[in-house]
Amino acid sequence: VYSMGLIDYFKDGLTVKTLNQTYSMLKPGGEVVIGNFHERCPSRCFLDYILDWPLIYRTEEDMTRLFNKSHFACDPVIEYEPLQVNMLVRCRKK
């Protein structure tokens, strides 16, 4: 399952629920890849205030905490797209 541009709008509780639902959809060995804007996004002020596009920016620690609170219960692998604005967070179902 792959998702970009979704959980950037979700508070932590709904993000964990979404991860749990995703977990239930996967077969053992299946993988989720979730994208989230990183808090160091250089365009953050522009996005939030000029475009009025408020997002929930997260860190690697935030994403690890959320995955550990979910049914995945894992430390995810975290990668970045070339500009390092978005994290790509991966975890497999056991």
Side-chain angles (χ1 to χ4, degrees):
V1 174
Y2 174 83
S3 172
M4 284 292 287
L6 179 64
I7 67 165
D8 311 84
Y9 299 97
F10 294 173
K11 293 181 180 179
D12 288 358
L14 184 54
T15 297
V16 171
K17 287 180 182 178
T18 302
L19 289 172
N20 289 343
Q21 181 62 36
T22 303
Y23 185 89
S24 72
M25 295 167 44
L26 292 172
K27 294 179 181 178
E31 183 178 41
V32 64
V33 180
I34 301 281
N36 202 109
F37 272 83
H38 197 282
E39 74 170 12
R40 71 172 168 252
C41 174
S43 303
R44 187 173 178 171
C45 288
F46 178 75
L47 294 171
D48 286 351
Y49 300 109
I50 305 297
L51 295 183
D52 193 26
W53 187 20
L55 299 168
I56 296 175
Y57 301 89
R58 293 189 169 99
T59 64
E60 295 84 354
E61 293 80 15
D62 293 330
M63 296 305 290
T64 298
R65 178 179 44 78
L66 293 170
F67 269 83
N68 275 293
K69 287 177 78 173
S70 77
H71 296 320
F72 283 98
C74 73
D75 288 340
V77 174
I78 301 175
E79 302 169 332
Y80 307 88
E81 46 78 28
L83 296 177
Q84 297 191 359
V85 172
N86 284 286
M87 291 181 285
L88 303 171
V89 185
R90 301 172 173 269
C91 201
R92 289 196 180 275
K93 182 174 182 176
K94 297 176 186 172

